[in-house]
Amino acid sequence: MKKLILLALLAIATTAQGQEAYNELRQKAKTTISNPNANAVVKQISQFKLDALNYMAMKMREVMPDSSATFLDKQAIAMDNFVNFYIEKLIESTKQPNVEQVKMIKMFMDASYSNPLFEDKDTELVLSYYNSADSMTRFSLDTDWRKAVAAIAYLYNKKE
């Protein structure tokens, strides 16, 4: 457990040139979505990642035009780590009582919602996944993913 959190935090700390990480994650999500043989759940998760990446880039151009490509890459890596860690915990929680599963899901939702990056007032867009009971990834698009990862890491370290 601690290894995974440490790896996630190390991945966030690494820097990439240009928008390599962002572009790679975006392309990977697009490829998965367009693959007719991909699992529907995997496509749904990839759709969230693609939407989150697109939202992030759009808002950064609008709100933070002077921010670096490295900043975008770090946010993209953190988002990917956050979602992947969530999916891992979701799979692990299937052996737990329903109450514990709901607690875990809410913990991730709260980490996303409580750490906005842009303070976007367009709540219909920002909370489109968060408010959708059909979505596996019920997270806010307006998330400072690095802070959300740190919040989850803190909560999981506290549990142990």
Side-chain angles (χ1 to χ4, degrees):
M1 169 70 72
K2 286 184 181 178
K3 268 188 184 177
L4 180 62
I5 293 170
L6 182 60
L7 286 174
L9 293 174
L10 284 175
I12 293 167
T14 61
T15 59
Q17 300 239 323
Q19 292 175 349
E20 291 174 26
Y22 170 86
N23 288 332
E24 184 178 325
L25 290 169
R26 192 170 179 279
Q27 186 56 48
K28 184 178 175 187
K30 286 173 72 174
T31 300
T32 301
I33 292 164
S34 64
N35 180 352
N37 299 322
N39 177 293
V41 172
V42 174
K43 282 186 174 188
Q44 185 184 51
I45 294 164
S46 293
Q47 185 63 59
F48 171 80
K49 288 181 178 183
L50 181 61
D51 289 346
L53 290 166
N54 287 337
Y55 171 82
M56 198 182 317
M58 175 190 73
K59 289 306 282 188
M60 284 184 70
R61 277 191 297 274
E62 182 183 310
V63 178
M64 308 164 84
D66 296 332
S67 64
S68 69
T70 302
F71 181 80
L72 181 61
D73 275 345
K74 287 179 181 181
Q75 285 293 323
I77 291 167
M79 182 274 301
D80 190 56
N81 288 335
F82 183 90
V83 173
N84 292 341
F85 188 59
Y86 168 73
I87 298 302
E88 179 185 323
K89 290 299 163 195
L90 194 59
I91 292 167
E92 285 177 12
S93 76
T94 59
K95 298 172 185 139
Q96 297 177 345
N98 195 36
V99 172
E100 291 301 313
Q101 291 176 24
V102 170
K103 240 194 260 185
M104 185 276 304
I105 292 168
K106 286 186 178 193
M107 186 170 67
F108 277 85
M109 288 174 67
D110 184 55
S112 166
Y113 183 79
S114 299
N115 291 290
L117 181 60
F118 304 108
E119 303 288 342
D120 193 341
K121 302 297 182 219
D122 184 357
T123 56
E124 186 176 337
L125 171 65
V126 168
L127 300 178
S128 58
Y129 282 92
Y130 187 90
N131 290 332
S132 173
D134 295 334
S135 177
M136 268 191 82
T137 48
R138 295 186 64 186
F139 309 128
S140 170
L141 292 176
D142 183 11
T143 297
D144 184 330
W145 295 104
R146 295 174 76 194
K147 287 182 180 178
V149 166
I152 288 297
Y154 173 78
L155 293 171
Y156 271 95
N157 281 333
K158 202 167 111 171
K159 279 181 152 182
E160 293 179 348

